[in-house]
């Protein structure tokens, strides 16, 4: 946890100093270019990207450290898609795949050539303090506890026993990420949607025909205090869990692993969150992690291509990212991602939802 705080402090310093670090390395439509790489996005991917940045600087003496901001996936996408040029980020860290609507926004602002690179796998982990209740939850339990309108009716549950008679009669109190976070999007899509489909079959028709109604019934999270938006600071969730043994928290698996001395992971549908269950696809909350890169910036921002090469050299099973908690993608996915970097293969927006 101290390591994470230190990295945040260091990167805050870099952000503050970035303004003076730009020069006219390339035209960029007359705006000039930076001599530092700029990255925004997911707090889950953030520690992996900062490690790659450290290695990149160590292997390239005299290179300025990349400027990395932990904005959350959704907020990062808005910054990433705002345009081409030195005032806009080069890379978006993402704990979910880009949405079709985000790709459309990108293209409307001239960001129409994008590389999509899967860098590994993570899991949405549910955790409690060491003195917690060891709740045994399922996607259905979480849907009934956290959805704003389960089965189409306003959520009035107060305790876990209201959700499932087999669970204890303790208040539902869940600390999780904000609406701008890819982890929250993944919570909705991987967990709540699964629970909704299991007990409310009419939702499947709504998904394709009436997406707004589907979201209202299946994936919208209640806002009456049972779910507490803890922002992008995972350390705050850890602190709250330590002071409240009845609460549970939500964040990426790598952060649970980093804080295993003070937290326990909760099983989901009987499957514990672990390196093995996530890498094998057994854990219901497993998800891919991505980088999105502007091809136009690869030739304009010094070192950007080398930085991506450093990422590819670091994401294997024996690499430094695995030691920090990243779960490596399967070999064929790693090979495909490395080829995307080498060939600058562009994302086809028609493949997005």
């Amino acid at each position: 946890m101290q390591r994470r705080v230190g990295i945040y402090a260091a990167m805050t310093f870099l952000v503050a100093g970035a303004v003076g670090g730009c020069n006219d390395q390339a035209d960029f439509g007359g705006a000039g270019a930076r001599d530092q790489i700029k990255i925004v996005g997911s707090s889950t991917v953030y520690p992996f990207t900062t490690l790659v940045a450290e290695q990149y600087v160590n292997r390239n003496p005299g290179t300025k450290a990349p400027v990395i901001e932990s904005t959350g996936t959704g907020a990062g996408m808005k910054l990433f898609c705002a345009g081409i040029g030195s005032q806009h980020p080069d890379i978006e860290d993402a704990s979910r795949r880009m949405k079709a609507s985000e790709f459309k926004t990108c293209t409307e602002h001239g960001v129409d050539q994008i590389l999509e690179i899967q860098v590994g796998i993570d899991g949405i982990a549910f955790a409690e303090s060491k003195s917690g209740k060891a709740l045994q939850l399922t996607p259905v339990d979480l849907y009934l506890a956290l959805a704003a309108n389960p089965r189409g009716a306003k959520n009035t549950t107060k305790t876990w026993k209201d959700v499932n008679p087999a669970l204890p009669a303790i208040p539902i109190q869940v600390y999780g990420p904000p609406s701008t976070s890819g982890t929250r999007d993944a919570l909705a899509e991987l967990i709540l949607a699964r629970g909704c489909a299991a007990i409310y079959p009419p939702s499947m028709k709504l998904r394709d025909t009436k997406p707004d109604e589907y979201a209202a019934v299946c994936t919208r999270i209640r806002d009456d205090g049972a779910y507490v938006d803890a922002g992008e600071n995972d350390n705050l969730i850890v602190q709250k869990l330590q002071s409240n043994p009845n609460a549970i928290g939500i964040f990426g698996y790598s952060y649970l692993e980093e804080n295993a001395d003070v937290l326990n992971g909760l099983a989901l549908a009987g499957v514990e969150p672990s390196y093995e269950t996530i890498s094998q696809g057994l854990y219901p909350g497993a998800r891919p992690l991505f980088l999105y890169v502007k091809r136009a910036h690869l030739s304009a921002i010094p070192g950007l291509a080398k930085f991506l090469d450093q990422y590819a050299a670091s994401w294997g099973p024996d690499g430094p990212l695995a030691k920090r908690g990243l779960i490596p993608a399967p070999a064929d996915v790693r090979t495909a991602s490395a080829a995307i970097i080498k060939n600058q293969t562009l994302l086809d927006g028609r493949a997005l939802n």
Side-chain angles (χ1 to χ4, degrees), residues 258-344:
E258 187 175 330
N259 290 276
D261 57 330
V262 294
L263 298 179
N264 287 329
L266 295 178
L268 192 56
V271 181
E272 299 279 349
S274 70
Y275 184 99
E276 291 74 19
T277 60
I278 294 171
S279 63
Q280 295 170 17
L282 301 176
Y283 182 68
R287 57 174 175 172
L289 303 177
F290 297 96
L291 299 183
Y292 290 92
V293 185
K294 295 171 183 173
R295 188 164 79 168
H297 287 207
L298 283 168
S299 58
I301 301 299
L304 183 55
K306 284 186 178 180
F307 179 81
L308 296 181
D309 289 339
Q310 185 63 53
Y311 228 118
S314 304
W315 64 37
D318 299 320
L321 292 179
K323 294 180 175 64
R324 180 158 287 189
L326 180 73
I327 296 174
D332 59 334
V333 173
R334 298 197 306 272
T335 298
S337 292
I340 289 171
I341 294 172
K342 179 180 179 181
N343 301 322
Q344 296 186 16

Side-chain angles (χ1 to χ4, degrees), residues 129-173:
S129 75
K130 290 290 185 180
S131 57
K133 304 300 183 182
L135 295 175
Q136 297 291 314
L137 302 174
T138 68
V140 169
D141 295 333
L142 288 163
Y143 168 65
L144 292 175
L146 299 180
N149 303 289
R151 297 193 182 98
K154 182 177 176 59
N155 199 332
T156 59
T157 57
K158 300 296 183 182
T159 72
W160 288 103
K161 193 174 184 66
D162 296 335
V163 167
N164 181 342
L167 295 174
I170 57 176
I172 298 168
Q173 192 161 23

Side-chain angles (χ1 to χ4, degrees), residues 39-43 46 69-77 79 92-93 178 180-181 232:
I39 305 167
V40 295
S42 166
S43 61
Y46 177 91
E69 297 181 77
S70 176
T71 63
T73 298
M77 286 291 184
L79 295 168
E92 155 76 358
D93 289 339
T180 55
S181 169
E232 293 289 350

Side-chain angles (χ1 to χ4, degrees), residues 1-337:
M1 184 164 61
Q2 292 177 346
R3 177 178 61 195
R4 174 74 65 89
V5 172
I7 292 173
Y8 268 100
M11 290 304 155
T12 300
F13 173 78
L14 288 173
V15 171
V19 175
C22 297
N23 59 30
D24 292 331
Q25 298 281 344
D27 183 28
F28 259 157
R34 288 172 272 101
D35 57 359
Q36 286 176 292
I37 298 166
K38 184 174 182 180
I39 305 167
V40 295
S42 166
S43 61
T44 298
V45 184
Y46 177 91
F48 307 131
T49 298
T50 56
L51 178 57
V52 173
E54 292 166 9
Q55 295 182 319
Y56 165 75
V57 171
N58 290 338
R59 286 166 171 72
N60 296 277
T63 299
K64 291 187 177 181
V67 177
I68 308 171
E69 297 181 77
S70 176
T71 63
T73 298
M77 286 291 184
K78 292 179 180 178
L79 295 168
F80 180 80
C81 290
I84 296 290
S86 60
Q87 69 271 42
H88 302 294
D90 312 308
I91 297 175
E92 155 76 358
D93 289 339
S95 57
R96 58 157 171 81
R97 199 175 191 199
M98 177 180 277
K99 299 176 181 178
S101 59
E102 292 167 336
F103 186 83
K104 182 175 183 290
T105 299
C106 271
T107 57
E108 289 172 348
H109 291 89
V111 188
D112 56 358
Q113 296 187 338
I114 302 170
L115 280 62
E116 179 186 68
I117 304 161
Q118 183 177 337
V119 298
I121 305 172
D122 186 39
I124 307 168
F126 298 84
E128 62 180 4
S129 75
K130 290 290 185 180
S131 57
K133 304 300 183 182
L135 295 175
Q136 297 291 314
L137 302 174
T138 68
V140 169
D141 295 333
L142 288 163
Y143 168 65
L144 292 175
L146 299 180
N149 303 289
R151 297 193 182 98
K154 182 177 176 59
N155 199 332
T156 59
T157 57
K158 300 296 183 182
T159 72
W160 288 103
K161 193 174 184 66
D162 296 335
V163 167
N164 181 342
L167 295 174
I170 57 176
I172 298 168
Q173 192 161 23
V174 179
Y175 296 102
S179 59
T180 55
S181 169
T183 298
R184 175 140 160 190
D185 290 335
L187 166 67
E189 295 165 10
L190 297 178
I191 306 301
L192 301 190
R194 184 174 301 185
C196 182
I199 63 171
Y200 191 60
S203 67
M204 300 313 295
K205 292 182 180 179
L206 292 176
R207 185 167 194 164
D208 296 326
T209 60
K210 298 180 179 179
D212 289 342
E213 289 187 30
Y214 172 80
V217 171
C218 290
T219 60
R220 186 172 300 155
I221 294 176
R222 63 196 295 186
D223 59 4
D224 60 355
Y227 181 94
V228 181
D229 179 341
E232 293 289 350
N233 187 351
D234 292 337
N235 287 303
L236 180 61
I237 298 179
V238 174
Q239 293 168 13
K240 289 184 178 297
L241 295 182
Q242 288 179 289
S243 63
N244 183 358
N246 288 335
I248 66 174
I250 305 172
F251 29 63
Y253 169 73
S254 61
Y255 199 70
L256 169 61
E257 185 180 55
E258 187 175 330
N259 290 276
D261 57 330
V262 294
L263 298 179
N264 287 329
L266 295 178
L268 192 56
V271 181
E272 299 279 349
S274 70
Y275 184 99
E276 291 74 19
T277 60
I278 294 171
S279 63
Q280 295 170 17
L282 301 176
Y283 182 68
R287 57 174 175 172
L289 303 177
F290 297 96
L291 299 183
Y292 290 92
V293 185
K294 295 171 183 173
R295 188 164 79 168
H297 287 207
L298 283 168
S299 58
I301 301 299
L304 183 55
K306 284 186 178 180
F307 179 81
L308 296 181
D309 289 339
Q310 185 63 53
Y311 228 118
S314 304
W315 64 37
D318 299 320
L321 292 179
K323 294 180 175 64
R324 180 158 287 189
L326 180 73
I327 296 174
D332 59 334
V333 173
R334 298 197 306 272
T335 298
S337 292

